Amino acid sequence: MDAPPILPPYRIKVVEPIPFLSAEDRRRALAEAGYNPFNLRADQITVDLLSDSGTGATSAAQEAAAAVGDESYAGARSWFRFCHELRELTEYPHILPVHQGRAGERILFTSLLKPGQICVSNTHFDTTHANVKLVGAEAVDLPCPEAADLDSHAPFKGNIDLDALEKLLTGPDGHRVGLVLMTITNNGLGAQPVSMANLTAVRDLCRQHEKPFFLDAARFAENAWLVGQREPEYRDWTPREIATRAFQLADGCVVSLKKDGLSAIGGFLGLRDDGLHAACEANLIATEGFSTYGGLAGHDLERLAQGLREVLDPAYLRARAASTARLAQMINDAGVDTVQPAGIHALYLNAGRLLPHLSPGEFPGHALGCQLYLDGGIRCAELGSLYLGGMNDEHRLVTPAPFELVRLAIPRRVYTDTHFEYVAAVLAAIAKNPERVGGYRVVSSPPLLRHFKVRLAPADEKDVE
C-alpha cells in the first residue's frame, strides 16, 4: 500500500474569493501595468506567487492573540510577549522591533557599515543590496561553486564559498570588510539552504579576523527544517533546536518576520553587542518608533509572538516542504526545469532553457512570467537579466545575468494542491509551444531596485508608450 499523502496540520476556516479575468482583460491589464507584474492590482490576479512576504494566512490562535493586543506607546504587554519569544528562540540579549526586514537592514547598516567598506554574503537579495549601496558600502556575493549548477542535487547550494571568503579576508581588501551577512535560506539562489557546518566555519573565520557575523534569517524555520532533513549531524534535532543553534553562531541577526513570522508585517534586529544596540536603538526611535513597538501595532506583536511558535511546528514544516516538492515534480513532469533540489518558500523556473529563442536582452525570465499571467492569471517574479543584468543609459542590456529564472514564491497556508495543479497545467501548455512567447524591451527604469518600477513593452512593438 502506498504511503498516505502528508496532510497540512490545519483546516481552512475563513476564505476569500479570487478573481478570474478573461484573456482579453488580462492582456489589457498587463499592458496598462507597463508589462510589470508589480504594477498589477491584486483584484486582477488569480494565483499570486509574486512573493511569500506578508502574504501568508494567519491562524485562529494568532487572531485570538491579536484581539488582546496592547496599544500602549511604551512598555506594552504585547511587546514583552514578543520580546520573550525572540529571546528564548535566539538567545540574543537585545531585541529591537521594526516594521519589516528592510527597515532593520537600514538601521543595522547605517550603524555598522562605513562608506567604502564591504558587506560580504552568500547572496544579498534586492533590498539588502540596495541598503548596502545606500550607505556607500559595496555588496560582494560569494556563493558556493555548487550553486552554479542549477541541476545539481547538492543539499546545501545556499552555502558561502569558504575558500573565497578566507581569500577575501586575508587579501588586500580584507581590511575593508565591515560585515559578513549570511542569508538563510538563500533566496537569491533558488531558495537553497545553508548548512550548519558552513555557518560554523563562517563564524570561525569571522572570529579569527575580528569581523561582525550576522544572519539575514527571514526563513530561519525553513532553513532549520532542511538542515534536519539533509545534514546527518542534526537529524535528531528539532527545528527549534536547529534554529536556536544557528542564531547562537552569529553576533546578531536582521529578520523580516513577514515570512517565517507568519504575519503580514513585522521584523526585528537581534544583537549581542551593547554599543551596537545603543546605536541601533537611537536610530530606531528616531525613524521607526519607540523601542518597544518599532512601527508595529500591539496586535501585530501578538500575531508575531504566536506565529513564531507555530512556524517551528515539525508537522507544519513537513507539510509545507512536501507541498512545494509536489509542485516542483508536477512542473518538471510538464517539461519545465526548476532549480534543484526544491526548496520550500519558492521554486525557480529555468526560463533560459525553456525559451532558448529569446536572447538575454529580450528578458526570457520576464517573458515567461508575463506569459503565465496572460495565459492563467498567475503572477510571479523574474530573477534574471531584468533584475540582475547591467544596462546602459538607453536601457539596453550590456551584462546578462548568469541565469534567466522565474521565481514562484509560495505563500504560507494560502493555496491548496488544486491551485498548484492549475499552475502546473498552465506551465505545461506554455512548454508545448514555447516559441509563441515573445520578448520584451525596457521603456523606462529607475536607477535603483529597477525591477519594482520598470516599465516595458513587447520587443516587436516599436512605439514607445
Side-chain angles (χ1 to χ4, degrees):
M1 178 179 177
D2 293 338
I6 296 174
L7 294 178
Y10 53 83
R11 60 185 179 185
I12 297 168
K13 193 168 187 177
V14 178
V15 299
E16 65 172 320
I18 57 176
F20 293 89
L21 275 65
S22 68
E24 177 58 25
D25 284 342
R26 292 194 300 269
R27 186 201 64 75
R28 185 181 303 110
L30 190 61
E32 290 174 353
Y35 296 92
N36 183 347
F38 283 95
N39 292 333
L40 290 167
R41 301 199 320 254
D43 60 6
Q44 297 170 326
I45 310 298
T46 301
V47 178
D48 200 344
L49 306 182
L50 183 70
S51 177
D52 66 315
S53 180
T55 58
T58 53
S59 68
Q62 284 180 285
E63 292 308 306
V68 297
D70 179 3
E71 305 301 340
S72 300
Y73 184 89
R77 296 184 306 274
S78 301
W79 152 252
F80 287 105
R81 184 183 176 205
F82 173 81
C83 186
H84 173 74
E85 290 293 341
L86 285 172
R87 280 182 176 156
E88 278 207 338
L89 174 63
T90 67
E91 300 187 355
Y92 295 139
H94 302 297
I95 302 295
L96 293 174
V98 291
H99 80 274
Q100 66 181 86
R102 66 191 65 176
E105 292 170 355
R106 178 189 57 77
I107 290 169
L108 179 66
F109 297 163
T110 54
S111 303
L112 193 59
L113 288 172
K114 298 178 177 63
Q117 286 191 314
I118 291 172
C119 180
V120 59
S121 180
N122 49 346
T123 307
H124 296 81
F125 204 58
D126 50 14
T127 58
T128 317
H129 189 282
N131 274 312
V132 170
K133 186 174 180 180
L134 285 171
V135 299
E138 178 185 356
V140 173
D141 293 335
L142 299 177
C144 68
E146 296 88 341
D149 184 352
L150 302 186
D151 302 316
S152 165
H153 283 264
F156 292 106
K157 290 160 68 173
N159 285 353
I160 199 168
D161 186 332
L162 293 171
D163 291 338
L165 177 60
E166 184 172 23
K167 185 176 180 181
L168 174 61
L169 292 173
T170 57
D173 286 328
H175 69 284
R176 294 178 55 212
V177 175
L179 173 64
V180 176
L181 182 72
M182 291 290 290
T183 305
I184 58 172
T185 55
N186 194 331
N187 187 24
L189 281 178
Q192 298 299 303
V194 178
S195 72
M196 297 297 287
N198 194 253
L199 290 177
T200 302
V202 172
R203 186 274 312 271
D204 293 344
L205 281 170
C206 288
R207 282 187 179 177
Q208 179 184 345
H209 295 277
E210 299 181 332
K211 302 296 183 182
F213 169 37
F214 274 66
L215 299 179
D216 177 353
R219 299 169 182 88
F220 67 90
E222 295 180 359
N223 198 82
W225 175 259
L226 293 171
V227 164
Q229 298 300 300
R230 300 180 186 180
E231 198 164 2
E233 296 86 343
Y234 293 89
R235 195 133 308 154
D236 296 327
W237 291 44
T238 66
R240 186 180 185 89
E241 289 169 339
I242 295 170
T244 298
R245 179 56 182 154
F247 285 120
Q248 287 175 337
L249 290 170
D251 298 315
C253 67
V254 57
V255 182
S256 167
L257 290 175
K258 296 174 68 174
K259 289 83 170 175
D260 278 352
L262 301 179
S263 178
I265 201 70
F268 77 99
L269 279 169
L271 303 163
R272 296 193 192 280
D273 184 80
D274 294 342
L276 181 58
H277 168 254
C280 288
E281 184 178 44
N283 192 322
L284 172 83
I285 294 172
T287 60
E288 286 285 302
F290 191 63
S291 50
T292 60
Y293 78 93
L296 296 171
H299 57 78
D300 297 322
L301 294 167
E302 292 284 357
R303 286 191 187 92
L304 287 165
Q306 178 63 28
L308 287 163
R309 289 273 172 179
E310 294 178 8
V311 77
L312 288 162
D313 175 12
Y316 157 77
L317 288 166
R318 181 182 298 109
R320 177 159 165 78
S323 179
T324 303
R326 183 171 183 266
L327 174 58
Q329 189 60 58
M330 289 190 291
I331 290 172
N332 296 157
D333 291 344
V336 180
D337 290 329
T338 55
V339 174
Q340 299 292 338
I344 297 181
H345 84 269
L347 295 173
Y348 293 68
L349 312 177
N350 192 333
R353 186 174 293 170
L354 180 65
L355 307 176
H357 62 285
L358 297 181
S359 68
E362 295 172 296
F363 309 116
H366 185 77
L368 179 57
C370 286
Q371 201 65 46
L372 278 165
Y373 178 74
L374 291 170
D375 289 0
I378 300 162
R379 179 161 67 168
C380 50
E382 185 257 18
L383 268 77
S385 289
L386 184 62
Y387 165 51
L388 294 169
M391 294 192 191
N392 61 21
D393 293 340
E394 287 75 41
H395 309 307
R396 303 293 185 186
L397 184 70
V398 293
T399 308
F403 306 108
E404 305 295 340
L405 304 177
V406 174
R407 186 183 73 166
L408 305 181
I410 313 298
R412 293 160 181 80
R413 305 188 296 201
V414 170
Y415 293 117
T416 68
D417 282 347
T418 304
H419 292 99
F420 294 145
E421 289 170 4
Y422 172 79
V423 171
V426 173
L427 268 170
I430 295 173
K432 288 178 181 177
N433 186 20
E435 291 78 11
R436 70 185 174 91
V437 179
Y440 290 82
R441 59 182 176 83
V442 174
V443 173
S444 64
S445 173
L448 192 64
L449 294 171
R450 174 174 60 226
H451 52 294
F452 285 125
K453 300 305 295 182
V454 65
R455 295 185 71 85
L456 303 100
D460 57 2
E461 288 185 7
K462 301 306 179 184
D463 294 332
V464 178
E465 308 179 344

